[in-house]
Amino acid sequence: MRSDWAVPEMKHAQVASALLVLLALAVQIPSAMAQPPAAAPAPPVEEQPNTAPLPTTSTSIDAASPPTPVDAPQPVPPVGAISEQPNAAVAPPPPPMTASPNSVQTAEAALIATESELNNAASDHASEDVEAQPIDIYGFAEVYFAAPLWRSNAPYSTSGVGSHPYFSVGNFNIYLSKHLEERWHFLSEVRFVYSPNGANDPKNPGTRISTRVGDTSDINRPFRWGAIEIERVHIDYQESSLLTLRFGHWLTPYGIWNIDHGSPTVIAIQRPYIVGEELFPQRQTGIQAFGQTFVGDLKLGYALGLSNGRGPMDEQRDLDFDKAYTARLEVGYNKLGDLKVGSSYYRGRYTDASFPLLNPSEARADRTVLERYGEQSFGADLQWDYEKFVIRGEFAYNERWYSDGVRRVLSPGQVSPDRRRYGAYALLGYRTPLLGVMPYVVYQDYVLGHDPTIPQVEHLRAFHGGLNWPIGPRVTAKGEYLHVTFPGSDTNLTKRDTFHLVQFQLAVAF
């Protein structure tokens, strides 16, 4: 055998000596790595604010958007720290550290003793960055009690309130919020509901829908399932305070109540008619741009949106070629308390059509348009907090027209008419020094505009009087009396009974 290929023989003493030297080096190397290297101190990291858009009473255009992230300088990694950084598309930049960045990262580097552990350590480092900025989960819920003050078979029983006193769980909404990158933010809101159980069955009027089924995980014992409503899901990119782009399913930027709809933040219990009847669409799916700036003592804000508009499945599809657009302007002034005035506009086309069916003989897909109309909405709003006084008010107008004659057939010989709906509400409250309790009054006036479902009623007025008591920062109790009249509707549906309702609400934010 060639001598240059042969391994020289070593005596046992030499082997033992070599092993002792290697063992001593193995012990000394981690100790040396644990010592902080001599490096220039890292620049200070600015403290970032909490990025979770908690429920707020502010109703500016960007009330639902996250606060602007602070561009904080990142610490300089010390010598010997891990050089591999996590994928920026997966993990955001690390947040401010409470301990010294050098000591933390050097301690991590000290854990890397062999090359086989390097990838695991880098993976752990990326996981720590993600966990350091976890997704924010918060929301609100309410418990409700109502006592209708009319006879059990009064026509108002069909309104959904019923005729008997009852308890219920109204809103149970969960928010998921997270800063993805320096300028990117994600927000979603879902509402959990018990519906459709107990609702009127449209296919068999007068009967109720039942969701009672067997639970296969509990030897088929019966339970009743509910549903969820996706309030919004959007991704924001903030270029500056003047421009933020919003992609996805967002709340229509109009008025006061539609943006700040959380039960603990609003003063009264029920939504105003012009909001609940959706003279503006409550939500839209598309792209929105918004921003704000200061001109002297004035705070100016705007919003522009392009969306699918309204439709039977507008969250997922647009069944025509027309896109809806929305615009809003807002002016704020804080020299006379907190004063905000806004105006909004919406224009779009509603189209409902059958699912396309394949016609193989002519190599085409056929569909039938069931309903199509154009619509536009205009709104104005004012909110003013002056010392202990609170004033809220909104006006909204909506009109729809069937220009191409595709009207929905309601019954034999009856089709959907053109409509003009408009209305307003005004709220006045005063925050007393007695436990912060706020007495408030609300006046509403709403013109239904030939609603085919209740043709006997064209006009209604509502009067509210109540108390709003903020028991704590996250708990609010409300009590309210509601009285509704129907001017010009002297029919059997309205003249025998008067609409009186007493209601209470306990709302919490968490």
mmCIF file of all heavy atoms in Angstrom, residues 277 410 414 417 419 448 450-457 493:
data_model
loop_
_atom_site.group_PDB
_atom_site.id
_atom_site.type_symbol
_atom_site.label_atom_id
_atom_site.label_comp_id
_atom_site.label_asym_id
_atom_site.label_seq_id
_atom_site.Cartn_x
_atom_site.Cartn_y
_atom_site.Cartn_z
ATOM 1 N N GLU A 277 -81.942 51.082 6.940
ATOM 2 C CA GLU A 277 -82.566 50.800 5.644
ATOM 3 C C GLU A 277 -81.587 50.920 4.486
ATOM 4 O O GLU A 277 -81.969 50.760 3.333
ATOM 5 C CB GLU A 277 -83.745 51.750 5.424
ATOM 6 C CG GLU A 277 -84.879 51.549 6.421
ATOM 7 C CD GLU A 277 -85.491 50.172 6.322
ATOM 8 O OE1 GLU A 277 -85.752 49.722 5.197
ATOM 9 O OE2 GLU A 277 -85.686 49.537 7.382
ATOM 10 N N LEU A 410 -92.952 41.168 -8.118
ATOM 11 C CA LEU A 410 -93.255 40.912 -6.716
ATOM 12 C C LEU A 410 -94.414 39.947 -6.554
ATOM 13 O O LEU A 410 -94.416 39.106 -5.657
ATOM 14 C CB LEU A 410 -93.560 42.227 -6.002
ATOM 15 C CG LEU A 410 -92.443 43.280 -6.068
ATOM 16 C CD1 LEU A 410 -92.915 44.581 -5.435
ATOM 17 C CD2 LEU A 410 -91.184 42.775 -5.387
ATOM 18 N N GLN A 414 -97.763 42.903 -10.193
ATOM 19 C CA GLN A 414 -97.070 43.907 -9.400
ATOM 20 C C GLN A 414 -95.561 43.753 -9.564
ATOM 21 O O GLN A 414 -95.016 42.662 -9.432
ATOM 22 C CB GLN A 414 -97.427 43.787 -7.912
ATOM 23 C CG GLN A 414 -96.801 44.878 -7.044
ATOM 24 C CD GLN A 414 -97.128 44.705 -5.575
ATOM 25 O OE1 GLN A 414 -97.526 43.615 -5.147
ATOM 26 N NE2 GLN A 414 -96.967 45.752 -4.796
ATOM 27 N N PRO A 417 -91.320 49.315 -8.015
ATOM 28 C CA PRO A 417 -91.441 50.662 -8.569
ATOM 29 C C PRO A 417 -90.140 51.453 -8.427
ATOM 30 O O PRO A 417 -89.231 51.058 -7.693
ATOM 31 C CB PRO A 417 -92.526 51.288 -7.686
ATOM 32 C CG PRO A 417 -92.291 50.650 -6.349
ATOM 33 C CD PRO A 417 -91.799 49.251 -6.616
ATOM 34 N N ARG A 419 -88.154 54.441 -6.791
ATOM 35 C CA ARG A 419 -88.317 54.903 -5.412
ATOM 36 C C ARG A 419 -87.398 56.081 -5.120
ATOM 37 O O ARG A 419 -86.288 56.183 -5.665
ATOM 38 C CB ARG A 419 -88.008 53.782 -4.413
ATOM 39 C CG ARG A 419 -88.929 52.591 -4.485
ATOM 40 C CD ARG A 419 -88.562 51.565 -3.430
ATOM 41 N NE ARG A 419 -88.731 52.083 -2.068
ATOM 42 C CZ ARG A 419 -88.390 51.406 -0.985
ATOM 43 N NH1 ARG A 419 -87.854 50.203 -1.083
ATOM 44 N NH2 ARG A 419 -88.582 51.932 0.209
ATOM 45 N N LEU A 448 -90.428 56.599 3.308
ATOM 46 C CA LEU A 448 -90.099 55.284 2.767
ATOM 47 C C LEU A 448 -90.096 55.242 1.246
ATOM 48 O O LEU A 448 -89.385 54.435 0.644
ATOM 49 C CB LEU A 448 -91.075 54.222 3.295
ATOM 50 C CG LEU A 448 -90.898 53.769 4.739
ATOM 51 C CD1 LEU A 448 -91.270 54.856 5.732
ATOM 52 C CD2 LEU A 448 -91.704 52.514 5.004
ATOM 53 N N HIS A 450 -92.744 54.555 -1.368
ATOM 54 C CA HIS A 450 -93.417 53.467 -2.079
ATOM 55 C C HIS A 450 -92.753 52.110 -1.834
ATOM 56 O O HIS A 450 -92.374 51.396 -2.768
ATOM 57 C CB HIS A 450 -93.467 53.741 -3.588
ATOM 58 C CG HIS A 450 -94.090 55.045 -3.959
ATOM 59 N ND1 HIS A 450 -95.429 55.321 -3.758
ATOM 60 C CD2 HIS A 450 -93.546 56.160 -4.495
ATOM 61 C CE1 HIS A 450 -95.687 56.551 -4.171
ATOM 62 N NE2 HIS A 450 -94.564 57.087 -4.611
ATOM 63 N N ASP A 451 -92.618 51.767 -0.560
ATOM 64 C CA ASP A 451 -92.078 50.451 -0.230
ATOM 65 C C ASP A 451 -93.142 49.406 -0.553
ATOM 66 O O ASP A 451 -94.209 49.385 0.051
ATOM 67 C CB ASP A 451 -91.715 50.400 1.258
ATOM 68 C CG ASP A 451 -90.978 49.122 1.614
ATOM 69 O OD1 ASP A 451 -91.020 48.158 0.820
ATOM 70 O OD2 ASP A 451 -90.360 49.078 2.695
ATOM 71 N N PRO A 452 -92.875 48.489 -1.508
ATOM 72 C CA PRO A 452 -93.917 47.535 -1.911
ATOM 73 C C PRO A 452 -94.274 46.537 -0.813
ATOM 74 O O PRO A 452 -95.333 45.925 -0.856
ATOM 75 C CB PRO A 452 -93.300 46.834 -3.126
ATOM 76 C CG PRO A 452 -91.829 47.016 -2.979
ATOM 77 C CD PRO A 452 -91.642 48.326 -2.288
ATOM 78 N N THR A 453 -93.411 46.361 0.183
ATOM 79 C CA THR A 453 -93.721 45.400 1.240
ATOM 80 C C THR A 453 -94.732 45.954 2.240
ATOM 81 O O THR A 453 -95.478 45.187 2.851
ATOM 82 C CB THR A 453 -92.438 44.987 1.976
ATOM 83 O OG1 THR A 453 -91.826 46.154 2.561
ATOM 84 C CG2 THR A 453 -91.444 44.357 1.003
ATOM 85 N N ILE A 454 -94.769 47.265 2.445
ATOM 86 C CA ILE A 454 -95.764 47.902 3.334
ATOM 87 C C ILE A 454 -96.298 49.156 2.629
ATOM 88 O O ILE A 454 -95.969 50.287 3.005
ATOM 89 C CB ILE A 454 -95.149 48.256 4.711
ATOM 90 C CG1 ILE A 454 -93.780 48.932 4.537
ATOM 91 C CG2 ILE A 454 -95.051 47.057 5.594
ATOM 92 C CD1 ILE A 454 -93.195 49.424 5.850
ATOM 93 N N PRO A 455 -97.125 48.972 1.599
ATOM 94 C CA PRO A 455 -97.595 50.120 0.814
ATOM 95 C C PRO A 455 -98.469 51.084 1.617
ATOM 96 O O PRO A 455 -98.660 52.221 1.202
ATOM 97 C CB PRO A 455 -98.380 49.459 -0.323
ATOM 98 C CG PRO A 455 -98.795 48.125 0.208
ATOM 99 C CD PRO A 455 -97.679 47.696 1.114
ATOM 100 N N GLN A 456 -99.005 50.646 2.755
ATOM 101 C CA GLN A 456 -99.881 51.519 3.538
ATOM 102 C C GLN A 456 -99.098 52.605 4.287
ATOM 103 O O GLN A 456 -99.677 53.584 4.739
ATOM 104 C CB GLN A 456 -100.689 50.709 4.553
ATOM 105 C CG GLN A 456 -101.608 49.665 3.930
ATOM 106 C CD GLN A 456 -100.892 48.336 3.706
ATOM 107 O OE1 GLN A 456 -99.668 48.250 3.858
ATOM 108 N NE2 GLN A 456 -101.637 47.311 3.342
ATOM 109 N N VAL A 457 -97.791 52.411 4.451
ATOM 110 C CA VAL A 457 -96.976 53.349 5.227
ATOM 111 C C VAL A 457 -96.002 54.047 4.292
ATOM 112 O O VAL A 457 -95.186 53.398 3.638
ATOM 113 C CB VAL A 457 -96.214 52.622 6.341
ATOM 114 C CG1 VAL A 457 -95.335 53.607 7.105
ATOM 115 C CG2 VAL A 457 -97.178 51.913 7.286
ATOM 116 N N LEU A 493 -103.784 49.494 9.885
ATOM 117 C CA LEU A 493 -102.483 49.039 10.344
ATOM 118 C C LEU A 493 -101.892 49.952 11.411
ATOM 119 O O LEU A 493 -100.996 49.559 12.138
ATOM 120 C CB LEU A 493 -101.506 48.928 9.157
ATOM 121 C CG LEU A 493 -101.765 47.806 8.154
ATOM 122 C CD1 LEU A 493 -100.770 47.887 7.011
ATOM 123 C CD2 LEU A 493 -101.673 46.455 8.839
#
